[in-house]
Short mmCIF file of all heavy atoms in Angstrom, two decimals:
data_model
loop_
_atom_site.label_atom_id
_atom_site.label_comp_id
_atom_site.label_asym_id
_atom_site.label_seq_id
_atom_site.Cartn_x
_atom_site.Cartn_y
_atom_site.Cartn_z
N THR A 381 116.91 0.80 86.23
CA THR A 381 118.27 0.77 85.70
C THR A 381 119.28 1.25 86.73
O THR A 381 118.93 1.86 87.74
CB THR A 381 118.39 1.67 84.44
OG1 THR A 381 118.01 3.01 84.80
CG2 THR A 381 117.52 1.17 83.31
N ALA A 382 120.55 0.98 86.43
CA ALA A 382 121.67 1.54 87.18
C ALA A 382 122.51 2.36 86.22
O ALA A 382 122.70 1.97 85.06
CB ALA A 382 122.51 0.43 87.81
N LYS A 383 122.98 3.51 86.68
CA LYS A 383 123.77 4.41 85.85
C LYS A 383 125.07 4.74 86.57
O LYS A 383 125.06 5.00 87.78
CB LYS A 383 123.02 5.72 85.58
CG LYS A 383 121.90 5.60 84.56
CD LYS A 383 120.62 5.01 85.10
CE LYS A 383 119.94 5.83 86.14
NZ LYS A 383 118.63 5.26 86.56
N LEU A 384 126.19 4.72 85.83
CA LEU A 384 127.48 5.07 86.40
C LEU A 384 128.18 6.06 85.47
O LEU A 384 128.15 5.90 84.24
CB LEU A 384 128.37 3.84 86.58
CG LEU A 384 127.82 2.77 87.53
CD1 LEU A 384 127.37 1.55 86.73
CD2 LEU A 384 128.86 2.36 88.56
N THR A 385 128.80 7.08 86.06
CA THR A 385 129.56 8.04 85.28
C THR A 385 130.78 8.48 86.06
O THR A 385 130.78 8.46 87.30
CB THR A 385 128.70 9.26 84.88
OG1 THR A 385 129.41 10.08 83.98
CG2 THR A 385 128.32 10.08 86.10
N LEU A 386 131.85 8.84 85.36
CA LEU A 386 133.11 9.21 85.97
C LEU A 386 133.22 10.72 86.14
O LEU A 386 132.78 11.48 85.27
CB LEU A 386 134.28 8.72 85.11
CG LEU A 386 134.32 7.23 84.78
CD1 LEU A 386 135.43 6.94 83.79
CD2 LEU A 386 134.51 6.40 86.03
N LEU A 387 133.79 11.15 87.27
CA LEU A 387 134.05 12.56 87.53
C LEU A 387 135.55 12.73 87.76
O LEU A 387 136.14 11.99 88.55
CB LEU A 387 133.29 13.05 88.77
CG LEU A 387 131.77 13.17 88.69
CD1 LEU A 387 131.11 11.82 88.91
CD2 LEU A 387 131.27 14.16 89.74
N ASP A 388 136.13 13.70 87.08
CA ASP A 388 137.56 14.00 87.24
C ASP A 388 137.74 15.50 87.40
O ASP A 388 137.24 16.28 86.58
CB ASP A 388 138.36 13.51 86.02
CG ASP A 388 138.49 12.00 85.99
OD1 ASP A 388 139.36 11.48 86.68
OD2 ASP A 388 137.70 11.36 85.26
N ASP A 389 138.45 15.89 88.47
CA ASP A 389 138.76 17.30 88.71
C ASP A 389 137.51 18.17 88.67
O ASP A 389 137.48 19.24 88.06
CB ASP A 389 139.80 17.80 87.70
CG ASP A 389 141.10 17.01 87.78
OD1 ASP A 389 141.52 16.70 88.91
OD2 ASP A 389 141.66 16.70 86.72
N LEU A 390 136.45 17.68 89.33
CA LEU A 390 135.18 18.39 89.46
C LEU A 390 134.59 18.76 88.10
O LEU A 390 134.03 19.84 87.90
CB LEU A 390 135.35 19.64 90.32
CG LEU A 390 135.74 19.38 91.78
CD1 LEU A 390 135.84 20.68 92.55
CD2 LEU A 390 134.74 18.45 92.46
N SER A 391 134.71 17.83 87.16
CA SER A 391 134.06 18.01 85.86
C SER A 391 133.51 16.68 85.40
O SER A 391 134.07 15.61 85.70
CB SER A 391 135.03 18.59 84.82
OG SER A 391 136.09 17.68 84.60
N LEU A 392 132.40 16.74 84.68
CA LEU A 392 131.74 15.54 84.17
C LEU A 392 132.24 15.24 82.77
O LEU A 392 132.59 16.14 82.01
CB LEU A 392 130.23 15.75 84.14
CG LEU A 392 129.53 15.90 85.49
CD1 LEU A 392 128.14 16.50 85.31
CD2 LEU A 392 129.44 14.55 86.19
N GLN A 393 132.27 13.97 82.43
CA GLN A 393 132.59 13.59 81.06
C GLN A 393 131.38 13.85 80.18
O GLN A 393 130.27 13.45 80.50
CB GLN A 393 132.98 12.11 80.99
CG GLN A 393 134.28 11.80 81.68
CD GLN A 393 134.82 10.45 81.28
OE1 GLN A 393 136.00 10.22 81.28
NE2 GLN A 393 133.94 9.53 80.95
N ARG A 394 131.61 14.54 79.08
CA ARG A 394 130.52 14.89 78.19
C ARG A 394 130.79 14.35 76.79
O ARG A 394 131.94 14.12 76.41
CB ARG A 394 130.31 16.40 78.15
CG ARG A 394 129.96 16.98 79.53
CD ARG A 394 129.76 18.48 79.50
NE ARG A 394 129.54 19.00 80.84
CZ ARG A 394 128.37 19.04 81.45
NH1 ARG A 394 127.29 18.58 80.83
NH2 ARG A 394 128.25 19.54 82.67
#
Side-chain angles (χ1 to χ4, degrees):
T381 58
K383 285 79 65 176
L384 299 108
T385 188
L386 304 173
L387 291 81
D388 287 279
D389 300 320
L390 296 182
S391 63
L392 294 163
Q393 292 196 151
R394 300 180 185 275

